[in-house]
Amino acid sequence: MCYAIPGKVLEISERTATVEYFGERKKAYTDLFDVTVGDYVYAQGGFLIQKVEPKEAREILTDWRELFFRLQETDKKLTDNPQNLYERANAIRQKHQGNSCCVHGILEFSNYCRNNCLYCGIRKDNKSLTRYRLEIPEILKAVDNAVQLGFKALVLQSGEDPYYDADKLETIVREIRNRYPVLLFVSIGERDLNTYKRLYEAGARGVLIRFETSNPELYTKVKPESTLEARLKLIKDIRELGYLIVTGFLVGLPGEKKGDVLRNIKLTASLGAEMFSFGPFIPHSQTPLKDAGSPNLTQMFKTIARARLMNPEAKILVTTALETLGKNDTSPLRDPVRDNGARQALLAGANSIMINVTPLQYRKLYDIYPERFGVDLDTQKHINQVIQLLQSLGRAPTDLSVSNS
Ligand code: SAM
């Protein structure tokens, strides 16, 4: 199963190509490799990432054709005649973003962190956590596995771990880009801008970095090592370098004020986010916030729906934290077909999903909050579940669009 449909290049103008597939035309940047009119290509996140042999492309397109239109039909039926908040948000998603859904892989390569964020289980002062780091060959092996499984977009995430200095990170990104046709995101926290510049030059094209909360006082309380101002400046500077930005916030942080969630959504949009990533705060026993509560699933679905209504063009992620809340929801009203909340999130306006591709022996140790969804789920099984879920909702796991940068 491919997570992208090959398109045919119709036109190239400066660094942008017009690509056609099944009659639809979309634009994507061409700066990761040479391309000519008539080539078949894969694109992710608005970047062309790989040429495909014409014979192979035609075979894939033949396989996809019937399914492609069938999925669109299902999606349209499910968004007909919207009545409530969720249905309206889903209809807006359908109208502006179609039925495509990003399916990115996430590789957590280190759980060391120099910070002491009050909410986070991998904070420096959690001495009970077994720490791990993947060395470069292990990272490449994990990426190789992910690529074999079909991923075309990967996020490399870690705590803020200075062991991976700029040279090491650059080697990792360059090696991956030299070997694999993937759109690469990094999620490594607050590093100097020059490091981000070097990683861009090595071939990374996206950064996942949340601002966590738009409330400056709350930010300083829960992230004592940094300020909101510095984090936001970094996000803006990173975007200026040309990166796609995935950013967002925690919902239900203890101390959150009325109106913060709305301000968080607005701030995410104002940062030019390619993808919105916001998840529920989940308390971890080894943190100062261990006794606080989590928001409930309804709050999460409402936040997704509001974010969608306010940002028709956004990609909105179903986060693992939301799926964790869903997995652990024991309320008698729990809908047995809710799929850990992913189905309802997708029906409330979300249109992106991440699948954990970290080697299984390390996943449990990336313990940012307890009982994370997917820590013991075989990646291929998880992929199958996601594909099944997406197909039942008429969504196609494709991704081809130009960001608004
Ligand atoms: N070091 C990078 C950074 O600072 O952006 C990435 C790693 S950090 C652990 C990834 C995300 O985990 C954070 O942005 C935060 O929102 C989320 N996170 C941490 N602790 C959490 C908790 N208790 N509940 C929900 N999400 C949490």
Side-chain angles (χ1 to χ4, degrees):
M1 170 65 78
C2 292
Y3 301 113
I5 298 171
K8 190 174 186 177
V9 176
L10 295 184
E11 217 176 275
I12 301 169
S13 165
E14 295 182 4
R15 57 182 284 250
T16 305
T18 305
V19 183
E20 185 262 355
Y21 64 142
F22 296 133
E24 286 180 19
R25 288 176 182 212
K26 304 223 169 159
K27 296 199 186 290
Y29 293 125
T30 60
D31 62 335
L32 287 173
F33 62 94
D34 288 333
V35 70
T36 49
V37 169
D39 284 344
Y40 283 94
V41 287
Y42 281 125
Q44 285 283 299
F47 285 90
L48 299 189
I49 56 154
Q50 185 186 10
K51 249 189 241 189
V52 192
E53 284 304 315
K55 185 169 172 290
E56 189 190 340
R58 282 190 214 104
E59 280 168 12
I60 295 169
L61 287 170
T62 308
D63 284 351
W64 258 97
R65 176 170 288 276
E66 199 205 319
L67 180 61
F68 182 84
F69 291 108
R70 192 152 32 92
L71 291 175
Q72 278 189 341
E73 227 15 71
T74 305
D75 186 31
K76 277 202 188 107
K77 270 193 203 137
L78 285 171
T79 48
D80 249 7
N81 194 20
Q83 302 288 329
N84 58 31
L85 172 73
Y86 304 137
E87 289 174 2
R88 283 205 309 280
N90 194 27
I92 294 275
R93 186 272 313 151
Q94 193 277 330
K95 183 167 173 222
H96 291 265
Q97 286 277 295
N99 70 334
S100 84
C101 184
C102 298
V103 181
H104 294 182
I106 181 160
L107 171 59
E108 294 143 348
F109 64 93
S110 161
N111 70 352
Y112 280 84
C113 190
R114 64 182 167 195
N115 292 333
N116 255 323
C117 303
L118 264 58
Y119 47 81
C120 187
I122 65 168
R123 67 201 305 269
K124 185 174 71 185
D125 283 357
N126 180 2
K127 305 290 184 215
S128 65
L129 181 65
T130 305
R131 304 281 171 170
Y132 74 89
R133 287 186 177 112
L134 267 65
E135 292 299 341
I136 296 176
E138 269 181 302
I139 294 178
L140 292 172
K141 188 159 178 273
V143 169
D144 190 73
N145 285 341
V147 171
Q148 301 310 323
L149 288 169
F151 287 96
K152 301 202 174 299
L154 289 178
V155 181
L156 300 183
Q157 189 175 83
S158 66
E160 232 170 81
D161 183 0
Y163 172 80
Y164 300 88
D165 58 14
D167 286 345
K168 234 186 207 110
L169 289 168
E170 186 185 332
T171 306
I172 293 167
V173 168
R174 202 175 291 288
E175 284 292 319
I176 294 174
R177 280 293 314 155
N178 283 344
R179 294 173 192 213
Y180 305 106
V182 286
L183 178 68
L184 209 54
F185 290 73
V186 291
S187 181
I188 51 178
E190 292 183 37
R191 301 301 184 99
D192 64 88
L193 197 61
N194 195 43
T195 300
Y196 278 109
K197 202 165 171 215
R198 285 177 61 181
L199 299 184
Y200 189 91
E201 280 157 11
R205 284 295 177 272
V207 176
L208 163 53
I209 179 166
R210 288 179 177 171
F211 54 82
E212 316 293 2
T213 170
S214 61
N215 177 330
E217 292 84 44
L218 181 56
Y219 185 98
T220 310
K221 246 189 227 159
V222 296
K223 276 185 82 66
E225 283 91 357
S226 133
T227 63
L228 178 61
E229 198 187 354
R231 186 100 167 168
L232 293 179
K233 180 170 178 345
L234 180 65
I235 296 174
K236 286 175 193 158
D237 289 345
I238 291 171
R239 184 165 179 264
E240 286 287 299
L241 292 176
Y243 278 107
L244 302 171
I245 299 295
V246 181
T247 189
F249 49 90
L250 282 162
V251 179
L253 263 179
E256 193 175 85
K257 294 253 169 0
K258 199 166 177 273
D260 277 351
V261 173
L262 206 61
R263 283 186 283 275
N264 290 342
I265 295 173
K266 285 186 180 159
L267 180 56
T268 311
S270 77
L271 291 167
E274 154 82 5
M275 189 185 282
F276 286 36
S277 165
F278 49 85
F281 157 73
I282 301 177
H284 188 293
S285 63
Q286 298 301 315
T287 66
L289 298 178
K290 61 179 190 299
D291 295 325
S294 281
N296 60 35
L297 276 172
T298 304
Q299 273 170 278
M300 291 312 304
F301 299 140
K302 280 190 176 155
T303 307
I304 290 173
R306 290 192 178 119
R308 169 59 65 202
L309 290 172
M310 290 161 71
N311 302 280
E313 307 290 342
K315 287 173 185 156
I316 298 179
L317 189 64
V318 178
T319 56
T320 308
L322 182 145
E323 293 189 271
T324 304
L325 266 194
K327 176 179 78 133
N328 298 328
D329 179 13
T330 51
S331 77
L333 295 177
R334 187 179 197 277
D335 176 353
V337 294
R338 199 156 56 192
D339 295 275
N340 303 314
R343 172 184 297 272
Q344 250 170 292
L346 289 164
L347 288 172
N351 60 346
S352 302
I353 284 196
M354 279 192 199
I355 291 181
N356 199 323
V357 300
T358 308
L360 268 175
Q361 71 267 34
Y362 297 119
R363 274 190 214 168
K364 267 202 176 68
L365 302 177
Y366 199 77
D367 189 32
I368 51 182
Y369 49 81
E371 296 184 52
R372 269 191 323 145
F373 173 74
V375 283
D376 41 20
L377 185 55
D378 169 71
T379 307
Q380 182 64 65
K381 270 197 191 138
H382 194 180
I383 292 169
N384 296 345
Q385 284 177 9
V386 167
I387 297 289
Q388 230 179 350
L389 171 64
L390 293 180
Q391 294 203 351
S392 72
L393 297 175
R395 309 292 176 87
T398 60
D399 175 22
L400 188 65
S401 62
V402 167
S403 77
N404 54 4
S405 57

